Amino acid sequence: MENTENIKKIAIVGPESTGKSTIAAQLAAHYNTVWVPEYAREYCSKLTEPCTWQDEINMFRGQLDLENQLLGSANKLLICDTTFITVKIWSDYMFGKAPEEVLYKLPRHPYDFYLLMDIDLPWMDDPLRDFPHLREYFMDVWHKELRELNASYVVVSGSSDTRVNNAIAAVDKYLHC
């Protein structure tokens, strides 16, 4: 097992229906490593009521736990299909504020590089997606959040092979800086 301190964490983030899970899986295969699925997707698929404040906290903790579980299996890179920044963004939107423990952890749990998925893909309906009409709004929010964290990130655009090739090129460039 590799020393986890040397593992680079690459976060795949962005608004709904931008191909984050697809890109995460493709990058993990390309770099022969593991990827951390979006904990909230599994969590929310089991909810029978609208998401609550406690659900947001549970998703925050679950995402971190899942990431920590998979970190030791990573091969130099850990590809993260979203991060708990999503909890902050959704909480801000749905409840007008984010949980304190999320705000506390954000600057203390950095990712090495972010790929912000562009909204240039067609919307794909999914029972766990809510805001097809707010994609531009949430894209702006993602830019703002990443800037506030002083995060190193690039926007990844294009469809299908172009998108994954653009993502690989961005990661390669980051790794060789």
Side-chain angles (χ1 to χ4, degrees):
M1 180 159 92
E2 186 167 341
N3 179 353
T4 58
E5 291 176 13
N6 296 324
I7 305 260
K8 299 285 186 193
K9 294 189 295 182
I10 309 295
I12 314 303
V13 298
E16 296 176 304
S17 194
T18 54
K20 294 179 295 293
S21 298
T22 299
I23 290 292
Q26 291 170 321
L27 288 176
H30 178 80
Y31 292 105
N32 190 32
T33 191
V34 296
W35 63 286
V36 181
E38 180 183 11
Y39 182 82
R41 178 160 276 284
E42 176 74 19
Y43 185 94
C44 290
S45 70
K46 297 174 182 169
L47 293 178
T48 56
E49 300 289 325
C51 192
T52 67
W53 182 257
Q54 186 60 53
D55 289 324
E56 293 293 340
I57 293 169
N58 295 346
M59 287 183 277
F60 158 71
R61 293 175 181 161
Q63 189 69 42
L64 283 178
D65 287 346
L66 189 55
E67 187 179 301
N68 288 332
Q69 288 171 29
L70 292 171
L71 187 62
S73 302
N75 177 21
K76 297 181 180 136
L77 294 176
L78 182 67
I79 309 296
C80 301
D81 175 5
T82 207
T83 70
F84 68 88
I85 298 172
T86 303
V87 171
K88 179 189 184 306
I89 290 170
W90 286 118
S91 295
D92 284 346
Y93 183 79
M94 300 298 289
F95 304 110
K97 64 180 183 172
E100 284 300 319
E101 67 184 288
V102 172
L103 297 175
Y104 175 82
K105 191 74 169 177
L106 272 174
R108 292 163 180 82
H109 190 85
Y111 295 81
D112 296 288
F113 188 59
Y114 294 80
L115 299 177
L116 175 56
M117 298 293 108
D118 203 352
I119 56 175
D120 59 341
L121 292 180
W123 177 267
M124 300 293 287
D125 280 329
D126 179 317
L128 298 177
R129 294 182 181 145
D130 297 314
F131 303 109
H133 58 290
L134 293 176
R135 294 175 90 195
E136 288 180 12
Y137 167 79
F138 282 112
M139 189 68 175
D140 290 342
V141 170
W142 273 104
H143 278 289
K144 175 183 161 286
E145 293 294 337
L146 292 172
R147 282 191 304 267
E148 284 181 8
L149 288 171
N150 200 27
S152 175
Y153 78 97
V154 298
V155 176
V156 176
S157 302
S159 59
S160 195
D161 290 344
T162 302
R163 197 175 196 84
V164 72
N165 289 337
N166 290 342
I168 290 167
V171 172
D172 284 350
K173 182 176 180 182
Y174 162 74
L175 292 173
H176 295 104
C177 286

